[in-house]
Amino acid sequence: NGGGGGGSLEVQSVAAAQELMKVAHKYQLAGHYAFAREAYDAAFQLCGRVEARYAAANMLTKIGGKESFKLAALELSDILQDAATPAGVRKAAAAKLEGVRAALAREDSQADSQADSQ
């Protein structure tokens, strides 16, 4: 029965990843973006699907703040650099990355104006 065990583990991992995606989506809808990110990231670790990775990066943009935006930019850049990324995810990641870069520029601008006023 040589190959059966490995396939079974893979099926279990995919099923667990699908459940994590459902849980993540519920957290997202409830506005619990940090929890949603953790669940999406765990799903990505289990199944390797770029859609889960994109969703995890997207949650960082919803969490907000300079550090979250920086991490989102790194993750979105990685998604864009992966040749296996499907066109639809690539398009969404490119648009999201543009928004993240604009948000980082605003954060920097606000920090500069606060420093100038002191």
Side-chain angles (χ1 to χ4, degrees):
N1 190 10
S8 176
L9 182 58
E10 184 176 333
V11 167
Q12 289 174 3
S13 292
V14 169
Q18 288 172 339
E19 283 303 310
L20 282 166
M21 293 288 284
K22 289 177 187 175
V23 168
H25 187 69
K26 287 178 183 176
Y27 278 133
Q28 181 180 348
L29 291 175
H32 299 295
Y33 303 125
F35 290 128
R37 174 180 163 66
E38 292 298 322
Y40 283 129
D41 190 52
F44 172 69
Q45 298 302 323
L46 276 173
C47 69
R49 292 201 49 173
V50 71
E51 293 84 353
R53 188 171 191 200
Y54 171 77
N58 186 39
M59 290 305 98
L60 287 168
T61 69
K62 294 182 181 300
I63 292 167
K66 192 169 187 174
E67 294 308 311
S68 291
F69 289 141
K70 284 182 178 180
L71 185 54
L74 288 172
E75 291 184 12
L76 291 165
S77 293
D78 286 348
I79 289 168
L80 290 170
Q81 290 174 7
D82 185 348
T85 298
V89 176
R90 182 176 302 281
K91 184 176 179 181
K96 186 64 67 174
L97 181 56
E98 188 176 314
V100 167
R101 288 180 175 153
L104 281 169
R106 283 191 303 274
E107 291 270 337
D108 287 342
S109 174
Q110 288 174 354
D112 288 346
S113 66
Q114 287 176 354
D116 289 344
S117 67
Q118 291 181 1

